[in-house]
Amino acid sequence: MMNVFVENMWCNMVKEHTYFDMQCFLDSPEDKHVVHYRDPLEAIKALLRDPALAKHIVYKPKHIFTDAMKEKRVYNEMWTSSWWEEMQDKLPEGSCVAPVIIAMDKTQLTQFSGGQQAYPVYLTLGNIPHAIQCKPSMQACMLIAYLPVERFVGHNLSKVVQSARTHRVFHKSMRLLLEPLIKAGSEGIEIVGGDGHVHKVHPILACYIADYLEQCLVTCCKSGTCTKCLQKQNVLGDWEPGELREQCRCCLIFRTIVTPFWVRFPLCCIHSCTLPQCSGIHHFKDGWSKKQMAKVLLGCLVSKVPNDVLTCYGALLDVVYLAQYPSHDDDTLEYMEAALTLFHKHKEFHSLLHYVECIKQYKAFEHLHIDLAKEG
């Protein structure tokens, strides 16, 4: 069976700065996979030019400390992170970083829509404070694309072939969407900000926020493995993380992908961009949320389970609540590491190993894109 991907059946039609591209395979031309998108550079310019955001936008990295001796550092926004400092040192003098945050989440539209789905992609910038990013009324998070959600029909395709084609369509669509960031990130673009000043910014992909399965799809990692390090699947419970992943290695896993969309992005490692998640449920069928459950479950377990289980669950709750702090310093990160150490003595979630380092490197919004997708 032919598995040849057709390069761009272009239908580039412009309507209010929105484009769409249709893709198909040679052996199944009846399968149409359409991506609707807008230029991400126009979205970035719109955010930086917005007068309502001008007084909040930050263009330079900063160090914030909790003590006069400047020994305990605070991590509460992306410009307080170590990543921004590293990127700024690599740019020409007079340039500044525009950290691009991409978020996505495939979602069911309604329960009465006949199983219809949407696959929105959102963009925001790390120059904007976290509190502003999370306010829909400020419009600091912009919808830039709807990815294809059409299913493959006909030809009795096996699950392996369907999976391979899903990967091809996804990476082709994302490459089409984010390709303008390659040249702009390398050479920079001049933008008149909302403050009236001209800024030369380099839009660099900093964070990619998605669920675990979507992270595997993005990074070309095998499901069940860590998207950030090379720790073997059967020893993910070990306390020490494995060797950090490199982009050049991951393509060997999914040979069905011609070129991952991120392969030419400047100053970017896709494995560093993904944020670790503790896999779990967000809502139960009867309407209980995990936060509501956390309030009562520990008390319910007393005298019902061994003390080791209570200690394990208590330490996990400490990590969960500490991770939700809007601002971190060296002390709170030490508290989190101590809770992780206690938790590890009983049971380990490998993804938690990368939490503290990601807090130091990045600060990004979390699940606003999921709420927006379900509301829109």
Side-chain angles (χ1 to χ4, degrees):
M1 181 176 293
M2 296 183 65
N3 194 27
V4 181
F5 191 70
V6 175
E7 292 290 337
N8 277 352
M9 284 183 56
W10 276 104
C11 300
N12 248 3
M13 298 183 63
V14 182
K15 184 177 181 181
E16 297 180 355
H17 304 289
T18 302
Y19 308 84
F20 74 87
D21 180 61
M22 186 179 297
Q23 307 167 23
C24 67
F25 292 84
L26 289 178
D27 61 342
S28 55
E30 69 276 9
D31 287 342
K32 309 295 184 182
H33 305 279
V34 182
V35 52
H36 298 267
Y37 66 100
R38 63 176 298 186
D39 189 342
L41 294 183
E42 293 300 321
I44 293 172
K45 292 176 182 179
L47 290 173
L48 295 179
R49 291 171 177 170
D50 190 344
L53 300 175
K55 63 180 180 180
H56 303 290
I57 292 178
V58 177
Y59 291 97
K60 296 181 180 179
K62 297 181 180 179
H63 283 192
I64 303 176
F65 300 91
T66 59
D67 59 327
M69 301 300 294
K70 297 184 178 180
E71 295 179 349
K72 297 181 179 180
R73 188 171 170 181
V74 176
Y75 305 92
N76 58 2
E77 299 287 354
M78 185 166 284
W79 55 81
T80 66
S81 67
S82 58
W83 175 88
W84 197 320
E85 290 183 275
E86 296 174 2
M87 295 299 105
Q88 190 65 51
D89 292 339
K90 296 177 181 179
L91 297 182
E93 185 176 355
S95 299
C96 55
V97 181
V100 177
I101 302 173
I102 298 295
M104 59 190 298
D105 184 60
K106 182 184 288 188
T107 182
Q108 195 84 12
L109 294 179
T110 67
Q111 295 180 351
F112 306 100
S113 62
Q116 294 183 4
Q117 294 180 323
Y119 207 161
V121 181
Y122 293 92
L123 179 147
T124 189
L125 297 176
N127 310 77
I128 304 171
H130 177 82
I132 303 298
Q133 294 174 356
C134 294
K135 288 183 178 179
S137 60
M138 297 297 292
Q139 299 182 358
C141 178
M142 303 189 70
L143 175 67
I144 59 172
Y146 279 108
L147 300 183
V149 293
E150 295 85 2
R151 296 183 179 181
F152 296 94
V153 297
H155 298 280
N156 296 320
L157 300 177
S158 66
K159 291 184 178 181
V160 175
V161 174
Q162 290 186 27
S163 177
R165 294 191 175 189
T166 299
H167 281 82
R168 284 173 174 253
V169 170
F170 173 81
H171 280 269
K172 177 64 178 178
S173 301
M174 291 300 297
R175 190 183 320 128
L176 179 70
L177 169 64
L178 299 180
E179 189 173 16
L181 297 181
I182 298 176
K183 182 178 180 181
S186 301
E187 301 178 2
I189 53 176
E190 290 188 349
I191 297 178
V192 179
D195 56 0
H197 296 91
V198 178
H199 304 273
K200 186 173 184 180
V201 301
H202 292 252
I204 299 173
L205 182 60
C207 291
Y208 203 112
I209 303 175
D211 295 337
Y212 171 72
L213 292 178
E214 291 170 333
Q215 289 185 11
C216 293
L217 176 63
V218 169
T219 59
C220 305
C221 293
K222 182 180 178 182
S223 179
T225 63
C226 178
T227 61
K228 302 186 74 67
C229 73
L230 293 171
Q231 187 70 287
K232 294 182 178 180
Q233 190 171 359
N234 60 340
V235 290
L236 287 179
D238 291 352
W239 177 238
E240 295 295 331
E243 179 185 356
L244 294 179
R245 289 183 180 271
E246 298 178 2
Q247 290 190 159
C248 59
R249 296 181 179 179
C250 69
C251 294
L252 298 177
I253 299 176
F254 284 103
R255 295 184 176 87
T256 56
I257 300 176
V258 179
T259 303
F261 71 87
W262 37 257
V263 76
R264 294 169 51 207
F265 280 17
L267 303 177
C268 170
C269 175
I270 195 63
H271 302 290
S272 299
C273 292
T274 57
L275 304 181
Q277 292 191 351
C278 180
S279 300
I281 46 182
H282 292 279
H283 293 281
F284 297 101
K285 292 182 179 179
D286 59 2
W288 274 55
S289 70
K290 62 180 180 181
K291 291 184 179 179
Q292 293 172 327
M293 182 177 177
K295 294 179 180 178
V296 300
L297 183 56
L298 185 59
C300 295
L301 292 177
V302 175
S303 75
K304 304 295 183 181
V305 297
N307 289 335
D308 286 346
V309 176
L310 289 176
T311 303
C312 176
Y313 184 69
L316 179 59
L317 284 180
D318 290 341
V319 173
V320 170
Y321 286 124
L322 284 168
Q324 295 175 3
Y325 279 17
S327 177
H328 282 277
D329 56 30
D330 292 332
D331 286 337
T332 60
L333 294 180
E334 287 180 6
Y335 299 154
M336 187 181 296
E337 288 182 339
L340 284 170
T341 301
L342 179 62
F343 177 71
H344 169 67
K345 292 180 180 179
H346 306 277
K347 184 62 180 177
E348 169 67 16
F349 283 130
H350 178 82
S351 63
L352 295 178
L353 293 175
H354 301 290
Y355 256 112
V356 174
E357 186 61 30
C358 279
I359 290 174
K360 292 181 179 180
Q361 287 188 338
Y362 307 102
K363 256 297 183 180
F365 72 155
E366 298 174 352
H367 292 293
L368 173 63
H369 64 291
I370 297 179
D371 298 334
L372 290 175
K374 297 187 185 305
E375 292 175 3

